């Protein structure tokens, strides 16, 4: 059984995709042990709660600064000692203290074809806006390991998504999100087979 912690900040549709894959039997050896949110308003928390999954809020506003917040996060993750940490729309950059403690045990989903449109400043709608401004005809989604850099870790799976004429950042984001929802559970499934 692969015990995972999922880190979220917002809507949590990727978390939902993981939970749905567990429910439908596609992720038969995965258990979500804890959902941690950097934002107490995140709808992702409701999704976890309605499934009876333990949740925790580690919101920067409750701590003197990001360092203290990250120390708390490290403490919680150390105690839980999950097999895998999944960043599913987690909007904070993990410090080296956490990344170094869990080498090849943290994965992230990014809404572009890494190494394009990623790194510092490329998050949320900014990614899709930049893709459209650059006149790209193809975008995509990438699941990768998290290392000390921003979006620089080894790519685990990547899938292309067409950019359509008349796309807005919102319409492109919605199409990319559908792909995210498919490839994130797929990678988790693959990793769960490896630990068996
Ligand atoms: C996704 O596009 C993800 O790639 C990005 O943030 C968005 C989160 O969506 N990092 P959700 O919270 O999973 O609905």
């Amino acid at each position: 059984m692969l015990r995972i912690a999922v880190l979220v900040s917002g809507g949590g549709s990727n978390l939902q995709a993981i939970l749905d894959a567990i429910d439908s039997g596609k992720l038969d050896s995965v258990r979500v042990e804890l959902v941690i949110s950097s934002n107490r308003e995140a709808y992702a928390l409701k999704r976890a709660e309605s499934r009876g999954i333990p949740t925790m809020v580690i919101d920067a506003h409750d701590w003197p600064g990001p360092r203290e917040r990250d120390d708390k996060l490290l403490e919680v993750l150390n105690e839980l000692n999950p097999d895998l940490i999944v960043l599913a729309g987690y909007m904070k950059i993990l410090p080296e203290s956490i990344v170094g403690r869990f080498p090849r045990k943290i994965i992230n989903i990014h809404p572009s074809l890494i190494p394009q449109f990623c790194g510092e400043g490329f998050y949320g709608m900014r990614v899709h806006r930049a893709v459209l401004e650059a006149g790209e005809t193809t975008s995509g989604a990438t699941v990768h390991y998290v290392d000390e850099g921003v979006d620089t870790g080894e790519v685990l799976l990547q899938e292309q998504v067409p950019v359509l004429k008349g796309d807005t950042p919102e319409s492109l984001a919605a199409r990319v999100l559908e792909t995210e929802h498919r490839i994130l559970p797929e990678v988790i499934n693959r990793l769960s087979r490896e630990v068996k």
Side-chain angles (χ1 to χ4, degrees):
M1 192 53 84
L2 189 83
R3 299 169 52 248
I4 69 175
V6 184
L7 273 57
V8 297
S9 298
S13 66
N14 278 293
L15 167 67
Q16 191 67 55
I18 296 169
L19 298 176
D20 291 348
I22 291 173
D23 287 347
S24 70
K26 282 188 203 140
L27 283 181
D28 58 352
S29 15
V30 174
R31 191 167 62 222
V32 180
E33 298 266 315
L34 181 64
V35 170
I36 303 174
S37 176
S38 65
N39 164 17
R40 65 175 63 259
E41 305 296 332
Y43 184 66
L45 289 167
K46 300 236 176 347
R47 296 183 193 266
E49 281 157 15
S50 69
R51 253 314 234 67
I53 292 166
T55 61
M56 182 176 273
V57 174
I58 306 184
D59 191 319
H61 296 105
D62 301 334
W63 302 89
R67 204 202 144 103
E68 288 82 356
R69 179 201 63 208
D70 286 338
D71 285 350
K72 177 66 187 173
L73 182 57
L74 177 58
E75 185 191 310
V76 169
L77 290 173
N78 262 330
E79 197 173 317
L80 190 70
N81 195 25
D83 299 312
L84 185 71
I85 298 166
V86 180
L87 309 187
Y90 186 67
M91 299 302 269
K92 306 287 172 200
I93 291 166
L94 292 182
E96 273 184 46
S97 56
I98 295 181
V99 177
R101 162 75 179 81
F102 297 98
R104 290 174 79 82
K105 282 193 169 180
I106 309 177
I107 63 172
N108 180 45
I109 176 98
H110 183 80
S112 80
L113 292 175
I114 287 177
Q116 288 179 294
F117 305 102
C118 62
E120 211 94 45
F122 283 106
Y123 56 86
M125 225 32 97
R126 288 172 184 229
V127 176
H128 306 294
R129 210 172 291 132
V131 169
L132 293 178
E133 275 167 13
E136 299 289 338
T137 53
T138 304
S139 189
T142 305
V143 180
H144 64 96
Y145 277 123
V146 174
D147 65 7
E148 279 77 7
V150 180
D151 299 330
T152 54
E154 184 190 326
V155 170
L156 287 154
L157 184 60
Q158 190 162 62
E159 209 176 288
Q160 294 189 350
V161 174
V163 177
L164 302 183
K165 228 173 158 196
D167 254 341
T168 59
E170 289 73 19
S171 64
L172 178 57
R175 193 173 314 115
V176 171
L177 207 46
E178 284 177 26
T179 294
E180 293 181 45
H181 295 163
R182 199 171 51 250
I183 68 174
L184 183 58
E186 191 176 328
V187 169
I188 296 172
N189 188 34
R190 193 205 296 167
L191 296 175
S192 76
R193 309 276 153 209
E194 284 172 13
V195 297
K196 260 190 178 170

